[in-house]
Amino acid sequence: MIDVDLTIQANNVDYENSVVISGYSIPAIATREVTTSLQVRSGETIIISGLKQLIETKGTKGVPVLSKIPVLGYFFKHEVVDTRNTEVTAFLTPEFFGRE
């Protein structure tokens, strides 16, 4: 048996928490992490999952010139919501190469 201490980390660019320095916007890094300990036989594959994330982006689209007209522009544009689900899954196959 092999004792495994495993940490899986996923990083994403986070524009909502960006920092402005000298007029430049620098995005933050959002980090998700999962840690586990387990025992596994040599050559046996384990699957670790669970770093789920829901990303929702909102924006506005419309007719290029007409959507910019005050008051009337409201009728020539609409809101767009983009939803994206992500999940990180890791496959690990530890092998022991030692004396038998």
Side-chain angles (χ1 to χ4, degrees):
M1 295 295 271
I2 300 174
D3 291 324
V4 178
D5 292 325
L6 183 65
T7 301
I8 301 171
Q9 189 178 66
N11 298 320
N12 293 59
V13 178
D14 184 4
Y15 292 102
E16 289 184 18
N17 294 311
S18 61
V19 177
V20 178
I21 299 176
S22 300
Y24 295 100
S25 180
I26 300 171
I29 302 294
T31 302
R32 298 173 288 146
E33 183 176 285
V34 63
T35 302
T36 189
S37 297
L38 51 98
Q39 287 186 341
V40 64
R41 291 187 186 100
S42 180
E44 196 173 75
T45 300
I46 59 170
I47 302 170
I48 304 293
S49 182
L51 289 173
K52 294 184 176 184
Q53 183 178 30
L54 172 67
I55 300 171
E56 188 172 277
T57 307
K58 295 180 181 180
T60 305
K61 287 190 175 182
V63 179
V65 176
L66 298 177
S67 64
K68 303 289 184 195
I69 298 172
V71 182
L72 290 176
Y74 177 79
F75 297 105
F76 297 99
K77 63 183 174 183
H78 65 282
E79 286 191 14
V80 177
V81 178
D82 181 32
T83 304
R84 186 176 61 171
N85 283 316
T86 61
E87 181 175 0
V88 175
T89 303
F91 294 80
L92 175 68
T93 307
E95 292 188 27
F96 181 74
F97 297 102
R99 288 187 250 179
E100 295 185 22

